[in-house]
């Protein structure tokens, strides 16, 4: 006579068989996440390398364009002829409260003064005889430092004050005030290298005046 099974007791496994273990989900397996990490690293490396190459190519292209542009500008400057001054020897040039006239230019001078008092040039003296008229309304001094001598290489030279004293008798142009309407005469002396060919004078004028150029050719 068979006895009915108790529903509260689970069925017994056959003797000699182990119970089956439940399978872990894929997301909980360590090797799955290892593969995911490796793939992500590979993607990031690939994207980063491609960006560097693109940036490098872009930078090289930009640098080449800049070099070409710079070369073009230099060529344009080299091909552009030097602008000639609109004023020359004998012309009266107005600048601020002065009118300037270059009367004469003498270069290749080695010494100024006499046997007792004088000055010798380091290279050569360039003597500029000029007239200046005060067109302002007050007495004023004319400053020689406002005038620079220039050559064809755009080198500029300042006047030699000591040599200017010996260059001409009563050379008081830069030592005394000039009254309004009066004209003073004097000589500017520049000590320049022997191989320099003076090309122009530049007068700065007043503080707010534009510089003017006088050609010596």
């Amino acid at each position: 006579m068979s006895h009915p099974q108790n529903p509260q007791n689970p069925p017994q496994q056959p003797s000699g068989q182990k119970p089956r273990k439940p399978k872990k989900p894929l997301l909980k397996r360590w090797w799955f996440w290892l593969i995911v990490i490796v793939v992500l690293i590979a993607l990031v490396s690939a994207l980063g390398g491609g960006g560097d190459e693109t940036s490098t190519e872009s930078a090289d292209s930009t640098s080449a364009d800049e070099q070409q542009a710079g070369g073009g500008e230099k060529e344009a400057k080299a091909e552009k002829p030097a602008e000639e001054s609109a004023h020359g020897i004998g012309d009266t040039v107005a600048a601020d409260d002065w009118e300037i006239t270059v009367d004469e230019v003498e270069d290749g001078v080695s010494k100024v003064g006499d046997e007792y008092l004088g000055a010798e040039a380091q290279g050569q003296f360039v003597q500029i005889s000029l007239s200046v008229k005060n067109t302002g309304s007050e007495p004023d001094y004319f400053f020689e430092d406002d005038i620079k001598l220039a050559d064809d290489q755009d080198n500029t030279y300042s006047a030699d004050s000591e040599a200017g004293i010996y260059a001409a008798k009563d050379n008081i142009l830069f030592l005394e005030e000039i009254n309004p309407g009066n004209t003073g005469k004097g000589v500017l002396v520049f000590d320049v290298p022997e191989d320099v060919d003076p090309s122009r004078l530049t007068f700065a004028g007043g503080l707010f005046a534009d510089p003017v150029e006088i050609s010596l050719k």
Side-chain angles (χ1 to χ4, degrees):
M1 184 174 178
S2 62
H3 298 281
Q5 295 182 353
N6 188 352
Q8 295 181 354
N9 296 326
Q12 298 295 323
Q13 294 288 338
S15 60
Q17 292 185 1
K18 294 181 180 181
R20 294 181 179 179
K21 294 181 180 181
K23 293 183 178 181
K24 291 183 179 180
L26 186 61
L27 295 178
K28 291 185 178 181
R29 297 180 182 272
W30 65 269
W31 52 265
F32 173 78
W33 290 109
L34 179 62
I35 294 174
V36 171
I37 293 173
V38 172
V39 171
L40 288 176
I41 293 175
L43 288 174
V44 171
S45 300
L47 292 176
D52 291 344
E53 291 178 1
T54 303
S55 300
T56 303
E57 292 176 358
S58 177
D60 293 342
S61 177
T62 302
S63 178
D65 292 341
E66 290 176 352
Q67 291 178 358
Q68 291 178 357
E73 290 178 359
K74 291 181 180 179
E75 291 177 0
K77 290 182 180 179
E79 293 175 358
K80 183 180 179 180
E83 295 182 0
E84 296 183 358
S85 174
H87 309 290
I89 298 174
D91 294 336
T92 298
V93 181
D96 203 26
D97 288 336
W98 299 98
E99 287 183 354
I100 307 169
T101 305
V102 175
D103 301 317
E104 185 181 0
V105 178
E106 182 181 1
D107 59 359
V109 179
S110 60
K111 182 179 179 180
V112 292
D114 53 33
E115 58 181 328
Y116 302 107
L117 294 173
E120 293 187 1
Q122 296 175 345
Q124 63 165 325
F125 284 135
V126 178
Q127 298 185 168
I128 311 291
S129 300
L130 71 164
S131 305
V132 294
K133 180 180 180 180
N134 183 355
T135 59
S137 58
E138 297 179 356
D140 201 356
Y141 287 94
F142 186 86
F143 296 103
E144 62 181 18
D145 287 342
D146 290 337
I147 291 185
K148 304 295 182 184
L149 178 69
D151 58 23
D152 291 333
Q153 305 300 319
D154 290 332
N155 298 315
T156 57
Y157 308 91
S158 297
D160 187 328
S161 300
E162 180 184 358
I165 295 175
Y166 303 128
K169 293 182 179 180
D170 300 326
N171 191 16
I172 62 174
L173 174 61
F174 315 109
L175 301 177
E176 293 185 356
E177 283 185 320
I178 301 176
N179 282 321
N182 284 348
T183 300
K185 292 181 177 289
V187 177
L188 278 176
V189 180
F190 299 87
D191 192 347
V192 302
E194 294 182 356
D195 59 346
V196 165
D197 184 17
S199 63
R200 64 189 183 278
L201 284 182
T202 301
F203 177 52
L207 182 62
F208 302 105
D210 294 330
V212 294
E213 290 188 352
I214 302 173
S215 174
L216 303 180
K217 299 294 187 178

